[in-house]
Amino acid sequence: MSSTAPREPMVVAEQVHKSFGSNHVLRGISLEVSRGEVMCLVGPSGSGKSTFLRCINHLEKINSGRISVDGTLIGYRENNGKLYELSAREAAAQRAGIGMVFQRFNLFPHMTALQNVTTGMVRVQGINQSDAEIEAKKILERVGLSEKLGHYPAHLSGGQQQRVAIARSLAMRPKLMLFDEPTSALDPELVGEVLDVMKELASTGMTMIVVTHEMGFAREVADSLIFMDGGVVVESGKPIDVLNNPQEARTKSFLSKVL
Amino acid sequence: MQSTNHPPIKAVPLRHPFRWAVALFLVLSAAAFIVDAAHRSAYDWKSFRKYIFDTRVLQAAGVTLALTALAMTFAITLGISLAVMRRSPNPVFRSVSWLFIWIFRGTPVYVQLVFWGLLSTIYHSFFVGIPDIHFNNFYLGFHQAISQNFSLFWIAVIGLSLNEAAYMAEIVRAGLLSVDAGQEEAATSIGMSWWATMRYVVIPQAMRIIIPPTGNEIVSMLKTTSLVTAVPLVTDLYARTRDISAETYNPIPLLLVASAWYLAFTTILMVIQYYIEKRFARGQATLMAAAS
Ligand SMILES: Nc1ncnc2c1ncn2[C@@H]1O[C@H](COP(=O)(O)OP(=O)(O)OP(=O)(O)O)[C@@H](O)[C@H]1O
Ligand SMILES: [Mg+2]
């Protein structure tokens, strides 16, 4: 982990391939996300957006290519040109530094909002319970939920649950946050409160990759936008350019459906 | 909230005369039976009172409880291991687990107990080699009841646990499967190890599914211990009351004594189960609403 030069990107993916059996889902994805950049990933259903995010987090193993985050190869260690698979413990340590927010929140239903946030600090980082609680309260306040510390997920609205989920990830002090359609499962009137939290996060310089159908958010907040289809990057660039002036036929037809 | 402006409905409630008639009939029949039984000499309530707190009966009840507690402890531990093995990517573990469950669920527990009893005579030295346990004086009678039949007691525990483990494995497996895959994913994504994920995220949620049938299994085990006579172990509640009644020539009061103790224990277990289930229902919207 050499201290990296400020110009080095946070995420580098090179020719990433991933298959599930005979289903070749990712067919050579290459991209770079710089530090503090917010990248939106859009594309039709089944194009491999979720799979790509899960590969960055090593929840899925890639078949070929390489992904590195903050200058460190994900899932493997390279020694004299040879790759060695990381141990479960090392892989877990890598994941702890990469936050992930899911479409369906996946909060722990048997824990209160506060416990959802402290559990990673206590069980993974080994912080003691009372320090973790102090820190967790700050983070929950940041996402506007200081009133809901003792509530179980079942008693929170979808928007509140998703904000707890974001807080749970932030508690691990990640250097990168991955969002997989964070607002798709929400009632329309609750989308705004989650996007506001994400905007605030972006403004503090967090590096974020966001799979979303919220083109307004992409336009307003994202630094770059990638259009994926069939497991490849079809088009990429500044959100305004891609959204207002798409070059590829596939991008045009997709955007005409969602805009 | 709306009571001042909108008066509550005043209506004559629907009557249920048939329900009342049936209930009355049942209550009267039960009362008649109890009054009759209280006076009938065959029940011999005097002997019942004499033996219900008899030292030998109390010790036997202790043996039955010890058999249940030990057998269930081993069965739950082994059952969890078998359930986890069934999930393992290693095909050897999966096959061993499957084979174990196939054999122990597929043959009667009585037959298994006879078999372990016979096996112990074949491999005598092994079972004699199991060390004794020290009990303090307060439990001396109980201690003797166990230690005189020491190897038989442990053979019974082993026989009961192995059989029960097969059932527990299936219960635990269903519980683990009931937890949404997103839970494991979320825990993994914050850097939890596989074991921490199981321990703090998956198993606590699986508990809600595992506990009710496990409660049934404990109650069922309490009664299955009456089969240990197949080993043959004769210090448990049922065998002991049967032996006493062989001296008194009147089996009915002692059957009632045994039944009363079994019933008392299962009642206590039901109460404990109620509180445990409430505890593991934490975070369940529907259950919490129902409770409040
Ligand atoms: N664990 C898995 N096992 C087998 N196939 C999978 C698995 N996960 C994803 N796939 C397949 O990979 C393809 C891409 O799925 P993915 O979820 O990445 O798409 P997506 O772009 O996120 O779509 P959506 O917008 O619907 O979320 C699909 O054909 C899907 O069936
Ligand atoms: Mg997806």
Side-chain angles (χ1 to χ4, degrees):
Chain A
M1 290 267 272
S2 59
S3 67
T4 42
R7 295 273 71 192
E8 172 154 1
M10 178 59 85
V11 182
V12 182
E14 297 167 60
Q15 285 303 314
V16 173
H17 286 261
K18 170 71 189 173
S19 303
F20 294 104
S22 61
N23 186 4
H24 196 171
V25 175
L26 300 181
R27 299 165 176 259
I29 302 271
S30 299
L31 55 79
E32 278 190 20
V33 186
S34 15
R35 268 155 218 287
E37 179 177 342
V38 176
M39 174 183 276
C40 278
L41 209 54
V42 302
S45 181
S47 55
K49 308 178 297 288
S50 301
T51 304
F52 180 61
L53 284 195
R54 294 160 52 81
C55 289
I56 296 176
N57 207 354
H58 204 45
L59 286 173
E60 300 285 359
K61 265 189 192 157
I62 61 178
N63 300 115
S64 73
R66 49 195 290 156
I67 299 176
S68 53
V69 172
D70 200 16
T72 311
L73 202 57
I74 291 294
Y76 302 92
R77 187 184 318 100
E78 196 166 23
N79 224 339
N80 298 325
K82 249 181 112 174
L83 290 183
Y84 297 86
E85 210 173 317
L86 292 186
S87 69
R89 178 188 288 263
E90 292 165 319
Q94 283 190 336
R95 288 192 196 101
I98 302 173
M100 181 138 186
V101 175
F102 303 87
Q103 181 175 353
R104 308 216 54 89
F105 328 136
N106 296 352
L107 286 182
F108 306 135
H110 58 304
M111 300 182 191
T112 61
L114 187 68
Q115 289 166 337
N116 264 280
V117 180
T118 55
T119 197
M121 292 193 267
V122 175
R123 306 296 176 200
V124 178
Q125 296 177 326
I127 297 171
N128 75 50
Q129 185 68 37
S130 53
D131 290 350
E133 279 180 17
I134 293 168
E135 183 64 24
K137 281 176 189 162
K138 282 187 206 153
I139 301 169
L140 281 166
E141 192 179 341
R142 185 174 165 194
V143 300
L145 288 174
S146 33
E147 308 290 300
K148 303 287 181 186
L149 303 179
H151 288 232
Y152 285 96
H155 292 167
L156 298 173
S157 73
Q160 291 167 338
Q161 289 190 50
Q162 192 61 298
R163 286 185 281 151
V164 174
I166 293 172
R168 175 176 67 181
S169 289
L170 289 178
M172 307 307 291
R173 299 180 179 282
K175 46 197 169 198
L176 167 68
M177 287 281 286
L178 309 174
F179 294 84
D180 192 358
E181 303 197 30
T183 58
S184 295
L186 297 177
D187 291 338
E189 75 271 20
L190 301 177
V191 168
E193 64 190 61
V194 172
L195 292 181
D196 286 345
V197 167
M198 292 167 62
K199 282 177 203 164
E200 189 268 338
L201 202 55
S203 72
T204 63
M206 176 64 77
T207 312
M208 296 162 54
I209 303 181
V210 185
V211 174
T212 188
H213 297 303
E214 296 290 332
M215 297 305 162
F217 175 84
R219 215 183 280 272
E220 188 185 339
V221 183
D223 303 297
S224 59
L225 188 136
I226 300 256
F227 173 69
M228 256 177 86
D229 191 13
V232 294
V233 173
V234 174
E235 194 164 347
S236 64
K238 287 203 170 305
I240 299 187
D241 297 340
V242 178
L243 293 175
N244 295 358
N245 192 15
Q247 301 299 308
E248 302 287 330
R250 276 194 282 180
T251 320
K252 283 176 191 159
S253 100
F254 173 77
L255 290 177
S256 70
K257 281 175 210 145
V258 298
L259 284 179
Chain B
M1 220 192 298
Q2 72 275 47
S3 60
T4 47
N5 295 340
H6 311 279
I9 290 176
K10 281 194 200 122
V12 179
L14 189 61
R15 311 276 180 206
H16 298 280
F18 186 68
R19 283 185 200 170
W20 285 105
V22 171
L24 194 68
F25 173 75
L26 290 176
V27 168
L28 287 178
S29 312
F33 176 75
I34 290 169
V35 170
D36 174 71
H39 294 290
R40 209 172 267 270
S41 61
Y43 291 104
D44 193 359
W45 292 107
K46 215 173 138 232
S47 298
F48 178 87
R49 278 193 296 278
K50 179 176 164 198
Y51 286 109
I52 184 82
F53 294 121
D54 184 284
T55 323
R56 288 171 295 174
V57 170
L58 292 182
Q59 280 162 9
V63 171
T64 287
L65 276 187
L67 280 171
T68 307
L70 288 168
M72 282 311 298
T73 308
F74 292 141
I76 290 170
T77 314
L78 187 55
I80 292 173
S81 317
L82 288 165
V84 171
M85 279 164 72
R86 273 301 276 281
R87 273 194 148 194
S88 159
N90 183 337
V92 178
F93 283 164
R94 283 203 305 268
S95 315
V96 167
S97 170
W98 182 87
L99 191 70
F100 183 99
I101 293 168
W102 181 61
I103 291 173
F104 284 95
R105 209 171 53 158
T107 57
V109 63
Y110 192 87
V111 173
Q112 288 172 27
L113 289 170
V114 172
F115 182 80
W116 293 120
L118 290 176
L119 211 63
S120 69
T121 59
I122 304 171
Y123 301 102
H124 193 65
S125 55
F126 170 73
F127 284 99
V128 166
I130 300 176
D132 206 338
I133 300 177
H134 175 75
F135 288 94
N136 65 37
N137 289 335
F138 187 72
Y139 294 112
L140 198 63
F142 177 58
H143 176 206
Q144 276 166 354
I146 289 185
S147 65
Q148 280 161 8
N149 296 280
F150 185 77
S151 4
L152 291 178
F153 177 83
W154 286 104
I155 290 163
V157 167
I158 292 167
L160 291 171
S161 339
L162 293 181
N163 177 260
E164 183 58 30
Y167 290 92
M168 283 309 304
E170 291 295 285
I171 289 170
V172 173
R173 195 167 74 98
L176 296 179
L177 283 175
S178 75
V179 179
D180 182 52
Q183 292 292 306
E184 204 171 326
E185 222 163 63
T188 308
S189 79
I190 56 171
M192 280 196 182
S193 66
W194 183 83
W195 176 239
T197 300
M198 284 288 144
R199 167 79 181 74
Y200 300 111
V201 176
V202 179
I203 291 178
Q205 293 180 60
M207 279 302 187
R208 225 166 25 82
I209 305 295
I210 293 172
I211 285 170
T214 302
N216 285 341
E217 291 300 309
I218 297 176
V219 168
S220 166
M221 175 61 79
L222 187 76
K223 296 173 295 179
T224 306
T225 56
S226 63
L227 299 181
V228 293
T229 185
V231 170
L233 178 71
V234 291
T235 53
D236 77 295
L237 187 55
Y238 175 63
R240 188 37 72 80
T241 52
R242 197 186 48 206
D243 286 351
I244 296 172
S245 65
E247 296 164 14
T248 63
Y249 300 110
N250 192 359
I252 290 182
L254 281 146
L255 277 177
L256 291 173
V257 164
S259 302
W261 279 110
Y262 284 120
L263 205 53
F265 291 147
T266 49
T267 308
I268 293 168
L269 288 172
M270 280 164 66
V271 172
I272 295 172
Q273 185 176 356
Y274 171 79
Y275 284 103
I276 294 179
E277 276 177 25
K278 232 169 96 170
R279 180 180 154 73
F280 279 98
R282 273 178 316 178
Q284 284 306 106
T286 49
L287 288 176
M288 304 258 300
S292 65

